[in-house]
Amino acid sequence: MTFRPTTLSRRRVIAGLGASATLIVLPPSVAVAQPAGDDGFRVLRAKAGTAHLRGPAARPTRIWGYDGLSPGPILRVKQGEELKVRLVNELDQTTAIHWHGLRIDNAMDGVPHLTQRPVAPGESFDYRFTPPDAGTFWYHTHFLSSEQLERGLYGALIVDETTPVNVDRDMTLVLDDWRLTANGDIDPSFGNMHDAMMEGRLGQYATINSQDEFEIKLRTNERMRLRLINAANARIFRLRITDHETRVMAVDGQPCPPEVIADGWLRLGPGARTDLFLDATLKSGATARIVIDNGRGGEFALGTLAYDNSAPLREAPLPAPDALPANPLPTQIDLKSALTIDIPLDGGMGMMMGGGMMGGMGGGMGGGMRGAMGPGRFNGFGLPSQERLWALASISSSGHDGPPLFRVARGRTVMLDFVNRSLMPHAMHVHGHHFRQISNGGMTPYWLDTVIVDPERSERVAFVADNPGKWMLHCHMIEHMATGMAAWFEVT
Ligand code: C2O
Ligand code: CU
């Protein structure tokens, strides 16, 4: 059987953009948060707003966002400085904010029922924490996410290095795909079982910073830091910038050895971030494009790089950069005495087909499958049986009910052994910790907080459980998380 391809269509006419842009004043690509009040808290209001997803000429789309914006205001703080944010809930649903990738106090992690009380409509909640790591992070709702995240409740959180990094400009690019109805509204079919069974909710309308025609203006020989964040519910973006060399400087917020991407393609799962350095090496007046893979072997443009006509910023591009300054990550990952947790990932369409059609791929690893058919076949916690479509370590859970998947004493190394026995990729995310990938018995030089586990593949990751509290571990394809691919663990 073939799965219905979900592809992105693009109405793309780049010509003419200049004309319309002079007529209509676009909002800044990403708003910057209001300065803090007298008590040091920046207020973030979760509320309805609009976004010109289909361009300035089309009817705007009603979204939900922080301060009514999607992406929400960029929150920016220096490494080692405290951030204080007061969430005010002006929605008619309960909510909370999770600070994705930040290794902060558990009480501030923002997971309703696990780490905090849910914030009811009209209520507020004060978050305050000091991010230990400099880098690119993001914040987003962690409640009814299939609807709330899709409607736009997310924003970037940038932690600046204590000594400024030598770049000419620093830009944040938040990627999302939106499923819109014909008249441009957000399609309200949130959490439908078909999406959940398959890849999760994919949209047909992809944007950078919610703009239809995203444009970066640049000058020859300047160096830009581009912070990419995938805020989509489920889409794995494959993205490249044409005609330029791009250098990966950080992954999931953490610096890595600088590496030029050989073929230029970057693969970014839901929740993931990549910091790139891009040297503007074209001539004045030149253009290049930011393109994504359309899933059918083609590509289409999400944005443009437009060189202005002024003189080069400097005579030649800057020399190859040094690595970004290291963050205070644990130095002792002790694989030998690690607590190893086997995490088979099961469910979805392949499971519906039972052992028959998928017999080949499922053969020999039937442990978690138990010949079950149809929705609700897994044991679970906190989910009605008809919503148990996916399982993590053979349990379908809300991620905050039931017993922890494991408990571990603070300071011990944990190894997670993900084995994907399903037909879909999964973006496995651990709260409160960064991990390293294990390959060929060694560790990759990257620190991640989310790892893509492709169908029929496995990934092993290891981290030091150094942050006490109750932490979620889940697939960041939101519809998978919502239908069982979630758990929690406790560091004591
Ligand atoms: Cu972005 Cu539970 O995570
Ligand atoms: Cu998943």
Side-chain angles (χ1 to χ4, degrees):
M1 100 174 243
T2 52
F3 297 116
R4 186 166 56 87
T6 309
T7 53
L8 295 156
S9 62
R10 195 77 176 172
R11 64 290 161 184
R12 173 139 311 277
V13 191
I14 288 179
L17 169 68
S20 64
T22 57
L23 296 174
I24 294 157
V25 180
L26 290 166
S29 62
V30 178
V32 172
Q34 294 299 307
D38 288 346
D39 57 1
F41 277 88
R42 297 157 188 239
V43 174
L44 272 189
R45 296 176 192 281
K47 62 178 193 179
T50 56
H52 282 274
L53 302 178
R54 299 177 303 153
R59 192 168 72 84
T61 300
R62 283 187 297 271
I63 54 97
W64 292 354
Y66 296 108
D67 293 352
L69 302 167
S70 184
I74 293 184
L75 300 176
R76 209 159 186 137
V77 68
K78 212 176 225 143
Q79 185 176 19
E81 280 177 8
E82 191 180 40
L83 180 67
K84 293 165 148 183
V85 173
R86 176 164 303 143
L87 165 66
V88 177
N89 184 2
E90 296 181 6
L91 303 169
D92 56 13
Q93 289 183 0
T94 290
T95 194
I97 298 180
H98 168 58
W99 311 91
H100 182 122
L102 283 133
R103 301 185 301 126
I104 54 176
D105 185 7
N106 188 244
M108 296 289 111
D109 195 48
V111 178
H113 305 295
L114 188 67
T115 68
Q116 71 165 83
R117 64 174 169 83
V119 186
E123 288 186 356
S124 69
F125 191 93
D126 287 352
Y127 294 96
R128 55 190 297 176
F129 52 82
T130 304
D133 302 323
T136 305
F137 302 93
W138 66 301
Y139 62 99
H140 61 81
T141 176
H142 217 296
F143 198 73
L144 300 176
S145 304
S146 193
E147 173 167 3
Q148 293 189 5
L149 187 69
E150 179 65 10
R151 286 193 186 275
L153 284 165
Y154 55 74
L157 195 167
I158 308 299
V159 184
D160 284 311
E161 292 78 9
T162 49
T163 39
V165 170
N166 186 22
V167 292
D168 299 305
R169 269 187 308 147
D170 181 322
M171 290 186 78
T172 301
L173 278 60
V174 185
L175 304 168
D176 199 357
D177 63 339
W178 308 79
R179 185 181 294 177
L180 302 181
T181 61
N183 59 11
D185 294 323
I186 294 176
D187 185 323
S189 63
F190 307 109
N192 77 61
M193 290 296 150
H194 179 267
D195 288 340
M197 192 83 74
M198 308 293 283
E199 300 119 294
R201 180 177 168 118
L202 302 177
Q204 84 279 37
Y205 227 85
T207 55
I208 296 174
N209 297 347
S210 297
Q211 289 179 28
D212 180 60
E213 303 278 1
F214 181 77
E215 190 184 60
I216 299 177
K217 288 209 171 30
L218 64 182
R219 270 174 83 178
T220 300
N221 294 339
E222 73 173 324
R223 173 168 288 172
M224 313 214 34
R225 178 178 187 166
L226 302 177
R227 303 171 184 266
L228 298 163
I229 301 173
N230 182 354
N233 278 38
R235 180 176 297 276
I236 298 173
F237 279 98
R238 283 190 76 237
L239 176 144
R240 76 186 178 96
I241 297 174
T242 66
D243 310 303
H244 289 78
E245 203 171 77
T246 44
R247 203 180 296 265
V248 176
M249 299 297 293
V251 179
D252 285 357
Q254 305 293 358
C256 63
E259 188 182 327
V260 173
I261 313 175
D263 65 357
W265 283 103
L266 198 66
R267 188 174 188 230
L268 218 58
R273 288 89 62 216
T274 300
D275 288 40
L276 298 176
F277 276 12
L278 177 139
D279 290 315
T281 46
L282 303 186
K283 299 262 174 296
S284 67
T287 57
R289 294 175 311 140
I290 305 172
V291 300
I292 61 172
D293 176 337
N294 70 358
R296 291 190 298 193
E299 27 181 82
F300 67 81
L302 282 192
T304 309
L305 269 54
Y307 283 67
D308 65 23
N309 289 315
S310 53
L313 186 68
R314 55 176 65 84
E315 260 164 43
L318 291 171
D322 293 332
L324 295 168
N327 282 325
L329 288 152
T331 47
Q332 287 299 323
I333 298 188
D334 181 5
L335 298 180
K336 284 201 196 69
S337 66
L339 171 66
T340 301
I341 310 292
D342 292 323
I343 307 187
L345 305 171
D346 295 303
M349 197 63 184
M351 293 296 289
M352 285 296 283
M353 298 289 135
M357 184 190 99
M358 299 309 151
M361 74 159 282
M365 3 181 234
M369 301 207 180
R370 297 189 190 101
M373 293 280 283
R377 60 209 167 279
F378 302 112
N379 291 324
F381 299 104
L383 286 178
S385 65
Q386 71 277 9
E387 289 173 20
R388 295 175 195 162
L389 301 182
W390 293 95
L392 184 162
S394 303
I395 299 287
S396 260
S397 161
S398 67
H400 53 76
D401 289 293
L405 180 62
F406 60 91
R407 283 203 165 86
V408 60
R410 184 178 185 179
R412 187 160 178 203
T413 296
V414 176
M415 179 126 77
L416 303 178
D417 210 336
F418 295 111
V419 178
N420 188 351
R421 308 194 291 198
S422 78
L423 297 176
M424 297 295 154
H426 300 290
M428 301 310 299
H429 173 49
V430 175
H431 281 215
H433 299 79
H434 272 72
F435 51 72
R436 295 183 81 169
Q437 237 171 319
I438 311 292
S439 81
N440 304 323
M443 287 188 286
T444 60
Y446 299 95
W447 290 89
L448 306 170
D449 58 43
T450 307
V451 65
I452 297 176
V453 190
D454 280 311
E456 298 185 71
R457 299 294 296 272
S458 27
E459 297 291 348
R460 306 179 97 191
V461 304
F463 65 95
V464 178
D466 60 355
N467 201 348
K470 297 175 174 177
W471 303 103
M472 262 187 100
L473 159 65
H474 63 86
C475 179
H476 220 289
M477 277 110 179
I478 300 299
E479 289 69 29
H480 294 173
M481 169 178 78
T483 53
M485 200 170 267
W488 65 281
F489 65 95
E490 184 166 22
V491 181
T492 56

